[in-house]
Amino acid sequence: MSAPTPAQKLPAMWLSVYLSLVGYSALLAFAAALMPEHWMTSITESMGLKSFATIPVAFYLARHLSLLYGFIGGGLVYLTRNLNRFRDLIGTLAVAVIALGILQGIIDLQAGMPLWWTLGESISTIIGGLIMHWLHRHCDSSQHDA
């Protein structure tokens, strides 16, 4: 089998760049987990949303969600270290991200979130999953690690 051409390596390179970009961005969520409570309430109000519930469970859920996003970001960065090894996982993850976007939209609507929030969150997640899926499908399985 011959070595892949530069054109054949391009989707894997872009998949690696994309996963790294999303992963490192998600790592920033760790900072939100440590954010002071008054920042959370101020940010919520500045976005024109209803007042943030200042009860322990609300802060608990917000911080734990931030931790979860941070850990997901770390996982994505890890996957970029060996795309060929994790190829099947990345493909499955891409489909899961698309499903996540759909479910986010449903939950946001049920929760009464503003339409701009619902569309921004769910549509961007779906598009992100579609980009990941497209790049994954265009990676040649005989490629060497990106």
Side-chain angles (χ1 to χ4, degrees):
M1 207 176 284
S2 62
T5 66
Q8 290 171 320
K9 290 182 180 181
L10 205 54
M13 182 205 63
W14 281 111
L15 179 60
S16 180
V17 167
Y18 180 71
L19 292 176
S20 293
L21 179 67
V22 173
Y24 283 113
S25 297
L27 286 173
L28 297 174
F30 283 131
L34 304 173
M35 187 182 296
E37 292 176 0
H38 70 274
W39 289 12
M40 289 183 195
T41 57
S42 296
I43 291 169
T44 302
E45 290 171 13
S46 70
M47 294 176 72
L49 301 173
K50 292 182 181 177
S51 296
F52 192 90
T54 55
I55 57 174
V57 71
F59 292 111
Y60 164 87
L61 290 171
R63 293 180 195 286
H64 276 75
L65 183 60
S66 294
L67 286 174
L68 180 61
Y69 274 113
F71 276 101
I72 289 170
L76 292 176
V77 170
Y78 180 77
L79 293 177
T80 64
R81 298 183 185 264
N82 192 334
L83 290 179
N84 284 338
R85 178 177 176 197
F86 299 114
R87 183 173 161 83
D88 290 341
L89 176 60
I90 292 169
T92 302
L93 186 59
V95 173
V97 169
I98 295 166
L100 174 66
I102 294 167
L103 294 172
Q104 282 176 326
I106 293 167
I107 290 170
D108 288 358
L109 289 171
Q110 287 177 339
M113 294 302 290
L115 188 59
W116 63 266
W117 179 287
T118 301
L119 293 176
E121 181 178 52
S122 61
I123 299 297
S124 66
T125 301
I126 292 168
I127 290 171
L130 289 170
I131 290 169
M132 195 165 126
H133 188 267
W134 187 87
L135 288 170
H136 168 263
R137 300 255 324 180
H138 286 82
C139 288
D140 182 81
S141 61
S142 66
Q143 288 178 195
H144 303 291
D145 293 335

